[in-house]
Every structure is written in C-alpha cells, then in structure tokens.
Amino acid sequence: MMADQTSIPVLVVVPPRALLLDIAGPLEVLRRSGLTQGSRVAYAPRYAGPDERVISSVGLELAGIAPLPDRVAPGTVILVSGNASPLPGQDVTRDRAAEQAIVDWLRRTVGPDHLLVCICSGAVLAGQAGLLNGRDCTTHHGDCEKLQRLAPAARVLENRLYVEAGPVWTSAGVTAGIDLMLHLLARQAGPAVASAVARHLVVYLRRAGADPQLSPWLEGRNHLHPSIHRVQDAIAADPARDWTLSDLSLIAHASARHLSRLFNDHAGMGVPDYINRLRVALARQLLENSRLDMETVAERAGFASARQLRRAWGRLHGTPPSAARALPAGKENVVIPSVGQ
C-alpha cells in the first residue's frame, strides 16, 4: 500500500469446499489496485470462516482462516465465496453445519453499512440468510433454481454477469466474480484504475445485455493494443484539451492515418467519437456535482458552446443535459462512493 492510498477493509468468508477461483480471481483484482500507478485505493483482505482449515475445490488446503468475527466495521466489503458441489458419496455432514454457521453469521452481522458481495453460489448462503429478500440477484446458472427455492422472496435473474441491488451485489459463476470486482474497482478507485488492472490481468471488461452499463470511461478498452491504450489514457486524463490527430499520433508513435485505422479497429470507434464520449461524460459529472451554468459546463468539458454539447449529448442520451442535473445523485445506478475522485 502506498502512502497516499486509502485502505478499504475486505472480509472474505471462506465456506467448505471453497471454489478457489471465486476467491483468487476477485482478490487478485483488488490486490492490483494497490499496485497500480495513480490508484488512491488499496484493499486490506482478511479471511474468516467456521473452520480454520478448508480443502478447496482443487484440493489445495487453505489454512490460517480466522473465526467469523462478532462485529464487522462499517464500510467493509464482505465477500462470500462460492463452493464446489460435493463429490458423489462424499460425507458433507460437517460441511452442512459449517454452511449453516455462515448463514447464521450473515443474518446477524451484515448490515446496510457494509457492502455484501456474493461470488457464484455464495449468493445461496446470503439468500438463506434472508439478505436477498426483495432484491434482484443472480448466481451460477446451475444454482439459479436452487437459489429461488431457498430464497423465494428474492428476484433471481438469469443470464446476468452481475447484479447490483443497493448494498448487496451478486455475480454469476466463477470468472464473473472478476467482472464484478472490476466493476467495483471502477466505482471505488476510478475507471482508469479498473482499466489498467484489467489490462494487467489480460481480461476483458465484459457485460451481458441487461447488466449495468460500462462507464463511458471504460468503453472502447476491450483490446490489448498498447499504443491505443496510451492514446486513450492521454485523452482520459484531459478530455477538454484541444486534441489533434497529430498530437495523438506522437503519443502512439504512428502516423495520423495509421492511428485512425488502429483506433477504429481496436476501440471500435473513431478518435473524434471517443473524445466526444469522454467530454460528454465529463460534462455529466459537472452537471451532477455542481451548479455551473450550461455554457461553463460546456467550456470546461471541451465543447465550443452549450449548443455543441447538446448535439454531442443527444447522440448518446435520450434526454437533454439538463435532465442529468434534475436527477438526484445515484438515481440511475446505486453508487458505491469512490475515493479521491
């Protein structure tokens, strides 16, 4: 952890037969946040469960697991891992008791001042604790029916990578936990950090059709071309700048024509479109978080006039810019407060 970073506590609940990737994948995303240049957020994980030692899904023993605490500090991310199905003929009597201990602990411990994150079948344990009642949620496709049976008051959604429902977030199976953690990282550490972590882990920022929309700051980033990422990093750092293809070609170490072709091929849009998208996103932030008049917002976002802002805005949104100011903060998405944004 760097000196200027804010530490966010994470409590990882380890069930019997823990699915190792449900823990390792999301926690690696969080670990990289603390090592990423420019990140003002680091995560401090602890591991707790009913048993001090657990045999994971791949046969690797996990040891040094602390007991489930009586109290969890406000602001803690509580991450509940999924677990592997028992093998045929396997004695799961002890495992069932451990799972029930987790359910009981979740029921009496988790509150609205925590962020509960359930990876894969971890949602089943949260559902049994009543924490999904009245909420949209998801889980591994093979467990959706089981979750609905055990938590009939929950609204179980299929074909979703992850679901936000206030202070309770759930993900689909296994690798979808990585997608959810990148989404969380974008909220708490910022889209640039999430994008850098995704690139380091060589994973794409995915979303299913009904999942929360990717931030505009993350759009066009599902590629591995280093030159285009350098250009996108430069634009994202100062969208209001009067960028020219000549400026950006120097950053990309490519001719203007070659840069235009590469950008279209890898980002899926032209350079001017990308710049305008980030300027609109910046304008939206200014509208939601200030009382600046429209002309000033347009100028600070890099537009020549409010009229130009409205034209660019209209190509991306079905409502005018003034509607962003009319909406209460966080109306469109449940916002987990960011740090240092």
Side-chain angles (χ1 to χ4, degrees):
M1 177 175 167
M2 304 175 196
D4 60 344
Q5 289 180 329
T6 298
S7 178
I8 296 179
V10 179
L11 181 65
V12 181
V13 179
V14 184
R17 308 185 314 279
L19 199 61
L20 193 58
L21 192 54
D22 281 2
I23 298 173
L27 268 293
E28 186 63 22
V29 170
L30 300 185
R31 185 184 78 88
R32 288 302 312 177
S33 175
L35 302 175
T36 299
Q37 185 176 7
S39 174
R40 299 187 65 182
V41 176
Y43 293 86
R46 295 181 296 140
Y47 301 85
D51 299 314
E52 183 183 3
R53 295 174 178 270
V54 166
I55 302 298
S56 73
S57 58
V58 296
L60 181 67
E61 184 179 62
L62 306 179
I65 301 169
L68 292 165
D70 293 332
R71 180 180 176 278
V72 178
T76 298
V77 177
I78 300 175
L79 188 150
V80 184
S81 162
N83 56 2
S85 300
L87 297 173
Q90 182 179 358
D91 184 1
V92 294
T93 304
R94 181 177 174 80
D95 289 355
R96 286 176 180 160
E99 289 173 349
Q100 187 59 51
I102 292 174
V103 169
D104 294 341
W105 178 84
L106 289 170
R107 184 182 294 117
R108 67 175 180 267
T109 306
V110 177
D113 52 356
H114 303 124
L115 176 61
L116 178 64
V117 177
C118 303
I119 308 298
C120 193
S121 61
V124 175
L125 299 175
Q128 290 177 274
L131 298 174
L132 304 183
N133 290 349
R135 299 185 186 275
D136 291 345
C137 59
T138 194
T139 187
H140 189 282
H141 63 84
D143 288 312
C144 284
E145 184 177 339
K146 177 181 180 181
L147 176 57
Q148 191 67 84
R149 185 177 71 252
L150 294 175
R155 295 188 293 270
V156 181
L157 307 179
E158 299 187 42
N159 300 318
R160 297 287 295 270
L161 282 174
Y162 50 82
V163 173
E164 297 178 44
V168 179
W169 293 17
T170 52
S171 82
V174 198
T175 59
I178 296 174
D179 298 285
L180 180 55
M181 283 300 103
L182 287 168
H183 186 63
L184 173 65
L185 196 58
R187 290 289 183 87
Q188 294 190 326
V193 174
S195 179
V197 169
R199 293 201 304 275
H200 179 85
L201 298 179
V202 199
V203 297
Y204 286 114
L205 294 159
R206 304 182 297 172
R207 62 176 299 276
D211 287 330
Q213 292 288 333
L214 279 179
S215 161
W217 304 93
L218 297 178
E219 288 182 311
R221 290 286 197 155
N222 281 354
H223 62 84
L224 300 175
H225 200 291
S227 295
I228 302 307
H229 277 303
R230 282 200 305 273
V231 168
Q232 290 174 307
D233 288 342
I235 296 170
D238 189 7
R241 177 174 166 176
D242 185 17
W243 291 105
T244 67
L245 269 179
S246 296
D247 295 332
L248 297 173
S249 64
L250 291 174
I251 296 170
H253 306 299
S255 69
R257 176 181 293 183
H258 189 48
L259 170 60
S260 293
R261 183 180 64 79
L262 286 176
F263 205 97
N264 272 290
D265 289 347
H266 293 279
M269 67 185 82
V271 173
D273 187 21
Y274 185 76
I275 293 172
N276 276 332
R277 284 173 181 267
L278 294 196
R279 287 177 176 172
V280 168
L282 178 57
R284 187 183 193 93
Q285 290 179 354
L286 291 169
L287 287 167
E288 290 177 343
N289 297 293
S290 78
R291 303 309 301 173
L292 297 172
D293 62 79
M294 199 64 69
E295 286 291 345
T296 304
V297 168
E299 180 183 353
R300 292 194 181 183
F303 294 103
S305 65
R307 182 179 179 183
Q308 188 184 55
L309 165 59
R310 291 187 182 97
R311 284 203 304 267
W313 186 286
R315 287 193 287 269
L316 299 172
H317 300 291
T319 55
S322 56
R325 176 161 285 164
L327 286 172
K331 171 114 175 160
E332 291 186 311
N333 286 299
V334 176
V335 176
I336 302 301
S338 60
V339 176
Q341 297 297 299

